[in-house]
Amino acid sequence: MSQLLTFLFTLNSISFIGSLIYFFIPEPSIVANIYGGVLILTLTGNIVAATFLKGNKKWRFTYLILSSLGLFCVMVLNTLTSIDPTNHSSQSLLSLGLILLHFLGGAWLSGRSISAKEKPSQVYSLKSNQSKHAYRKTRRTFLGLLSFLLFIGVLLALIMLTRLPVALIEAGLSPYSLFYSLIFLSLAGLALNLVSVKKHPIITYTLGSVGVGLYILFALPFLSIPSMLDKAETNYTKAFGQSGISMENDVPAFRDLPLSISAFFFGSSSKDYTLEEDVVYYEGSDGVDDGLTLAFDAYSPPENAQNLPGEGSVLIRIHGGGWGTGDKGAFNFAQINKYFASQGYVVFDVQYGLDDHNQSALFLSGPDEVYDSFSIDDMVRHLGIFTTYLADNKEAFGANLDSVFISGGSAGGQLANAVALASSSENYDELIDSRISVKGLIPLYPANDLSHFRDIGGQDALVDPALLAEEDSPPALLFQGDKDGIVVPQVSRNFRDAYLAKNNNDIAIIWMPYGAHVSDIYFSGFYNQTFMYYMERFMYQYK
């Protein structure tokens, strides 16, 4: 036992020092991934030790609370700093502090257990004014709460592994699954510390089994990474050729590896970029547009930037939200904008008119001035107006209109498809400014032909952009989770099949195993990291 504790103490010491080094040198590398494996081993070892060590009950209990609540806070803090457009670092120092506290706590606990063990009588000492009955009642209440949380964990795991119709709940699961794996193992450890195995063996083994089961189930997306990467590279190279993958040595700004395990825990730092927010591009005064005000945020490369792959090419990003919610900025996962601006692209995060009935998520509502009874035709028209504004003002942003990419997620993916394919269609080319040259299309879980579920109409070919696919349609790179319960995977397959039916093979789907809707919400998640790896190569290849 002492040898295992010594090993755990060593792991915590290495993890603590490595965390400080990684935070300031965060580039993805093989070493960073090896270190990420050490992080997982250390955090798991600490939880197991805090659950089963003899003595030090009070401190073990404290560590397990830190592990469950602390990791949840790390997950939330990493996300909030990532999606904040004005947070230039995109990383949270508080999150780093919480992770370091885990390793300090694990080192202290294992070191203390090596040197000495407290007597059992000290574990259950009560305050002088607390009766034994009150203590037992409190313990039962806390055990009931923990059991309820574990039950919730079982339901969440079921949602993650299936396509149950649970709206946006699924979005917060698979991208963060490794956090949940450790959190629910910690909660099970807390529960086990409140139950006597001699008095309640069935309850003890049930809690232990649930904890281990949830640890394994929530680890499945992580365990599927090798298969995901292999399939992604196969699909990409089949559609676009090997040149898009083998250019790392020629483009230093690119990621060397598809993902970093360490980044999952610490977040990913953003490099330099400039931001101009709330630039108004359209103020409507007639018909349904009367009173409409639409704006965009512009993310530009840093001044005097040189040797960046973007070279002023344009990336237009269209937010999702079921055509009735959402907005630019944080709702459109701003770190993606920061990332490509720092690579030399001029990124525009654009508003469009939203439908004012049957909103999919009221807490995600956009600003009042963008709402009315807008159809898909109106939304595409608004985005077309933006392209004219961009063409008229390209010098102000240093934008290269001969190299434009259009991307969006969910409803934004459907609109991105409609805008991009309209630009190459003889029947709809008037919707997009002729000075814009669309070189590539990047839809994420695009909600093609689904607006009728929200009673939002439009021309058939704009509602379902697959009908616009032609042999000369722009190359398309899709992102799709195979467990998406809102935009089912078949929608992306249908879009790919529409390309192939027109003898256009320039289309690939990057599949996310166990991925749900909005699996790109966590920039440092394994799904989004992988897609960024291929997206940057796709854009460089076709710009």
Side-chain angles (χ1 to χ4, degrees):
M1 176 62 73
S2 62
Q3 291 179 334
L4 290 176
L5 290 173
T6 301
F7 178 64
L8 185 58
F9 178 84
T10 303
L11 283 178
N12 278 284
S13 301
I14 293 173
S15 297
F16 182 87
I17 296 171
S19 297
L20 293 174
I21 295 173
Y22 177 80
F23 194 81
F24 295 103
I25 311 175
E27 297 299 325
S29 66
I30 294 176
V31 174
N33 277 326
I34 293 174
Y35 173 61
V38 172
L39 290 179
I40 296 172
L41 180 61
T42 304
L43 293 170
T44 302
N46 287 343
I47 294 169
V48 173
T51 301
F52 295 108
L53 280 178
K54 301 296 183 182
N56 297 320
K57 186 92 171 186
K58 179 170 59 178
W59 297 110
R60 293 192 289 115
F61 205 80
T62 300
Y63 180 86
L64 290 170
I65 292 177
L66 169 66
S67 179
S68 52
L69 184 59
L71 287 175
F72 180 80
C73 290
V74 167
M75 179 179 78
V76 173
L77 287 169
N78 285 350
T79 302
L80 292 179
T81 52
S82 168
I83 65 176
D84 181 0
T86 61
N87 189 317
H88 276 63
S89 72
S90 300
Q91 284 187 299
S92 169
L93 288 176
L94 181 55
S95 177
L96 171 65
L98 286 170
I99 293 177
L100 292 176
L101 193 60
H102 277 76
F103 300 135
L104 284 176
W108 187 92
L109 189 62
S110 55
R112 183 180 175 89
S113 298
I114 293 171
S115 59
K117 296 182 177 63
E118 297 181 26
K119 296 179 180 180
S121 59
Q122 293 177 301
V123 173
Y124 292 99
S125 59
L126 301 173
K127 295 180 181 180
S128 57
N129 62 345
Q130 184 180 31
S131 68
K132 191 173 182 179
H133 175 74
Y135 172 76
R136 288 178 175 174
K137 183 178 180 180
T138 301
R139 188 172 64 176
R140 285 196 299 268
T141 300
F142 195 32
L143 180 60
L145 174 61
L146 291 170
S147 300
F148 174 74
L149 291 176
L150 290 172
F151 173 73
I152 294 297
V154 173
L155 293 180
L156 293 179
L158 181 63
I159 292 170
M160 187 187 76
L161 298 175
T162 61
R163 294 181 193 152
L164 294 176
V166 289
L168 291 178
I169 293 177
E170 65 179 62
L173 296 178
S174 55
Y176 305 99
S177 59
L178 198 53
F179 281 119
Y180 290 121
S181 185
L182 296 165
I183 288 170
F184 284 110
L185 186 65
S186 300
L187 291 176
L190 280 170
L192 288 173
N193 272 274
L194 296 174
V195 179
S196 171
V197 65
K198 293 182 179 179
K199 295 181 179 180
H200 306 287
I202 295 177
I203 295 177
T204 301
Y205 293 130
T206 299
L207 290 172
S209 299
V210 170
V212 173
L214 290 176
Y215 178 80
I216 295 172
L217 290 176
F218 279 110
L220 288 177
F222 172 71
L223 297 175
S224 69
I225 286 175
S227 173
M228 175 181 69
L229 296 180
D230 181 67
K231 188 173 183 179
E233 185 163 354
T234 298
N235 289 352
Y236 188 98
T237 55
K238 182 179 179 180
F240 310 123
Q242 188 66 29
S243 61
I245 301 297
S246 60
M247 58 180 70
E248 297 95 317
N249 295 332
D250 298 326
V251 188
F254 279 180
R255 302 169 59 90
D256 292 331
L257 296 174
L259 58 85
S260 166
I261 299 174
S262 298
F264 178 85
F265 291 98
F266 295 104
S268 302
S269 61
S270 292
K271 297 180 181 178
D272 198 14
Y273 66 95
T274 60
L275 171 62
E276 185 176 0
E277 293 184 283
D278 301 321
V279 181
V280 175
Y281 74 86
Y282 179 56
E283 292 180 294
S285 57
D286 298 316
V288 70
D289 286 353
D290 187 24
L292 174 67
T293 300
L294 298 175
F296 64 87
D297 297 338
Y299 297 74
S300 302
E303 294 183 5
N304 302 320
Q306 296 179 349
N307 300 321
L308 294 175
E311 299 180 321
S313 294
V314 171
L315 173 60
I316 298 173
R317 295 195 67 242
I318 305 169
H319 71 81
W323 305 277
T325 55
D327 195 13
K328 63 181 179 62
F331 287 135
N332 205 19
F333 314 148
Q335 192 168 0
I336 297 175
N337 303 333
K338 305 174 194 177
Y339 184 80
F340 285 105
S342 70
Q343 284 199 341
Y345 293 90
V346 185
V347 184
F348 297 96
D349 190 358
V350 187
Q351 289 179 328
Y352 54 92
L354 299 177
D355 183 68
D356 60 2
H357 74 288
N358 290 334
Q359 295 184 32
S360 55
L362 292 176
F363 66 95
L364 296 178
S365 295
D368 292 341
E369 58 268 22
V370 304
Y371 280 99
D372 211 314
S373 299
F374 294 117
S375 66
I376 297 298
D377 296 358
D378 293 320
M379 297 174 194
V380 173
R381 176 172 54 82
H382 296 155
L383 294 167
I385 292 171
F386 168 75
T387 64
T388 298
Y389 178 95
L390 175 58
D392 291 339
N393 296 274
K394 64 177 183 178
E395 290 84 2
F397 301 98
N400 177 9
L401 302 189
D402 293 326
S403 180
V404 176
F405 295 85
I406 304 179
S407 180
S410 193
Q414 179 268 328
L415 292 172
N417 290 342
V419 171
L421 297 190
S423 71
S424 61
S425 169
E426 295 181 357
N427 296 325
Y428 293 93
D429 59 352
E430 77 283 353
L431 291 174
I432 310 302
D433 195 283
S434 60
R435 293 169 286 179
I436 298 289
S437 178
V438 178
K439 292 299 184 69
L441 170 61
I442 309 165
L444 295 83
Y445 38 91
N448 295 345
D449 199 27
L450 298 181
S451 62
H452 53 85
F453 286 108
R454 305 240 180 246
D455 295 325
I456 301 174
Q459 299 179 63
D460 290 345
L462 297 181
V463 169
D464 182 9
L467 300 174
L468 293 173
E470 297 292 346
E471 188 173 0
D472 61 349
S473 293
L477 179 68
L478 283 75
F479 173 106
Q480 180 68 54
D482 66 6
K483 299 298 182 184
D484 194 327
I486 296 177
V487 176
V488 296
Q490 190 59 43
V491 174
S492 287
R493 292 192 185 99
N494 291 342
F495 191 66
R496 179 197 58 195
D497 292 344
Y499 261 61
L500 299 180
K502 296 294 184 177
N503 295 317
N504 187 339
N505 297 318
D506 293 334
I507 185 169
I509 303 176
I510 304 298
W511 290 100
M512 303 294 121
Y514 303 101
H517 201 61
V518 199
S519 288
D520 57 323
I521 185 174
Y522 186 37
F523 184 86
S524 300
F526 302 131
Y527 297 144
N528 192 69
Q529 285 192 64
T530 300
F531 192 67
M532 290 297 99
Y533 177 86
Y534 287 98
M535 181 174 172
E536 66 185 4
R537 284 156 174 75
F538 173 80
M539 292 170 65
Y540 186 82
Q541 184 174 351
Y542 286 100
K543 70 183 178 68

